[in-house]
Amino acid sequence: MPPLLRNGPRVVLTVTLLATVSSACTIGSADDSTAAAGYPSRGLSILAPGSVGGGWDARARGMSAALTGCGVIDEDVTVTNKPGAGGAIGLARMVGRSGDPYQLMTMDTVTMAGGAVQNDSPVGLSSLTPIAGLTVSPSVIVVPARSPFRDLTSVMAAMRRNPKGMSWVGGSLGGPDHITVASLAKARGIPVSKITYVPTGGGGEVLNLLLSGASKVGMSTLTEIRPQIEAGKLRVLAISGDERPEGLDAPTLRDLGYGGASVVSTGGVMAPPGLSDGERRAIVAMVDRMRRTSCWKRTLKRHDWKAVWLPDTKFGTLIDRQQKQVAQVLNDVGLTS
C-alpha cells in the first residue's frame, strides 16, 4: 500500500488500462434475483486510489480480469489509478461521482481510514456505499536473519527497557502495521508516544531498512516479503492474524497472548454515495459472482490473499469499527488531537 503523504503535493497521475481477457474460466452460481435488471448495460470503471503495482491496484486489476475474462459481464472494465495522500485523493473523487453505479473503487479498511484522518480529508469511507469485503492479507513481524532476537518475547522485553531504541519499520502511519505495533506496546504497558516507528511504502523499503540496521524489527504483508523470508534473509517472529499461512512456521499473535493487538485490514470494493437500493444490490450480486470464478481464485493465490465475504452492511459495520480504532491509535501516538 502506498505511503501516506501528509503535506505533499496534490498533483496526481492517472493511468488507464483496458482489462486483459483471460480464457478457460468457470463461474459459480449466486442468487442475484433481487439485482436490478440489465446491470451492467455499459462499461465499468474501477478506481485504484494508489500507484500501479500496489495492493489496491492489484485488487482492481484482479477484479477486472475476473469480471471480463471469466464471463461475469459482457461489458469492458477500465482500471484508473489516482494515487496520493493514503487514498484520500481517490476517496474524494469517488464522493464526486455520487449516484454513478458504473464507478467502483478498491480499498482496504485500515490504511485508507488512516489516510483520511492524516490528510484531514473532509470525507471518510463512511461517505461511500460499501459493496463487499473480499480479502485479508496477513502481516508478519520479522527481523534480519542475523538479529539476536529469536522470538517476539525478547523483542518486547527490549522494547520495554528502551522503547525509543527499539526501532520498528512498517507501512504507513495509521495503517495496520502501525496499529499493531502501538497495540503491542499498550499490551506491555509501554507508552505508545515513546515508540519509534518508521513508516514506509512497505515491501522493499522495509527490507532495506532492516538489512541496513537502521531498524531492528519490521512489519509487512506476507505477500510483499515472502521471497526474502524463503531466501533466508529475514526471520519471522510472529504472524498478525488468527491463522498460520501455508508454508510459514511461526506463531500467531493470538498464540503468543497478543490477540487483542492483531489488526488485519480487509480489502474490498466501494461504490459512490447516492445509489438506489436496486443499484447497490446489483453491484453486490455482480461482485458475488466474480468472487466465485476461477479467475479470481487464481488472483487470490498469486497475491497470498485469503478470501472473505462481507457483503453490503456487514462490510459497512466493519469499516465503522476500524475507523474508530484507527482514530484512537493516531490520537495515542500524538498524530491527531
Side-chain angles (χ1 to χ4, degrees):
M1 298 300 173
L4 289 173
L5 304 176
R6 298 191 62 191
N7 298 302
R10 297 290 176 170
V11 179
V12 294
L13 174 67
T14 301
V15 182
T16 304
L17 295 178
L18 195 63
T20 302
V21 178
S22 59
S23 59
C25 305
T26 59
I27 305 175
S29 61
D31 179 10
D32 59 351
S33 59
T34 60
Y39 178 87
S41 59
R42 57 181 173 84
L44 297 175
S45 179
I46 302 178
L47 175 67
S51 301
V52 174
W56 293 332
D57 177 73
R59 191 172 298 111
R61 296 184 192 282
M63 287 183 61
S64 172
L67 287 168
T68 58
C70 272
V72 177
I73 63 174
D74 296 326
E75 307 296 335
D76 291 333
V77 179
T78 300
V79 174
T80 302
N81 295 79
K82 272 288 184 185
I89 292 175
L91 178 60
R93 176 171 175 171
M94 284 294 290
V95 171
R97 298 295 296 270
S98 180
D100 183 0
Y102 289 87
Q103 176 69 69
L104 305 177
M105 182 184 77
T106 54
M107 40 66 76
D108 80 279
T109 53
V110 176
T111 306
M112 183 162 276
V117 173
Q118 283 284 90
N119 289 277
D120 297 321
S121 174
V123 294
L125 279 171
S126 297
S127 303
L128 302 183
T129 300
I131 298 300
L134 293 170
T135 65
V136 292
S137 181
S139 290
V140 289
I141 298 175
V142 294
V143 294
R146 64 177 183 274
S147 171
F149 297 110
R150 309 295 300 185
D151 51 42
L152 186 61
T153 299
S154 59
V155 167
M156 297 308 299
M159 188 175 173
R160 190 167 188 178
R161 290 193 300 270
N162 182 11
K164 291 187 179 298
M166 184 57 66
S167 174
W168 289 73
V169 60
S172 57
L173 290 172
D177 297 343
H178 190 195
I179 290 177
T180 297
V181 175
S183 298
L184 285 170
K186 290 179 71 173
R188 294 290 292 167
I190 302 168
V192 175
S193 59
K194 292 186 178 181
I195 64 174
T196 299
Y197 182 85
V198 181
T200 72
E205 292 179 75
V206 170
L207 177 66
N208 291 337
L209 287 171
L210 285 173
L211 296 184
S212 70
S215 292
K216 295 182 179 180
V217 192
M219 282 201 72
S220 182
T221 61
L222 178 59
T223 302
E224 292 181 303
I225 60 171
R226 185 189 278 272
Q228 287 73 38
I229 295 169
E230 294 177 345
K233 294 181 180 179
L234 298 175
R235 179 188 309 128
V236 181
L237 302 185
I239 303 160
S240 180
D242 296 336
E243 299 179 9
R244 301 185 187 189
E246 183 179 349
L248 199 62
D249 184 19
T252 68
L253 287 178
R254 187 171 299 280
D255 293 336
L256 298 172
Y258 292 104
S262 185
V263 179
V264 179
S265 191
T266 300
V269 59
M270 306 286 281
L275 302 186
S276 68
D277 288 344
E279 289 169 335
R280 175 178 48 78
R281 288 195 299 268
I283 300 172
V284 172
M286 179 189 69
V287 174
D288 191 14
R289 296 195 302 272
M290 180 219 72
R291 75 182 178 96
R292 299 166 185 264
T293 64
S294 58
C295 294
W296 181 248
K297 290 173 183 177
R298 287 197 295 271
T299 294
L300 294 174
K301 184 175 181 180
R302 183 164 58 249
H303 294 286
D304 262 323
W305 292 337
K306 177 184 175 182
V308 297
W309 179 239
L310 296 170
D312 206 347
T313 55
K314 290 184 179 179
F315 194 37
T317 299
L318 174 67
I319 288 170
D320 289 342
R321 184 172 72 247
Q322 291 198 328
Q323 282 188 130
K324 293 174 183 176
Q325 189 177 16
V326 168
Q328 182 60 56
V329 170
L330 291 177
N331 182 69
D332 288 344
V333 299
L335 293 176
T336 59
S337 56

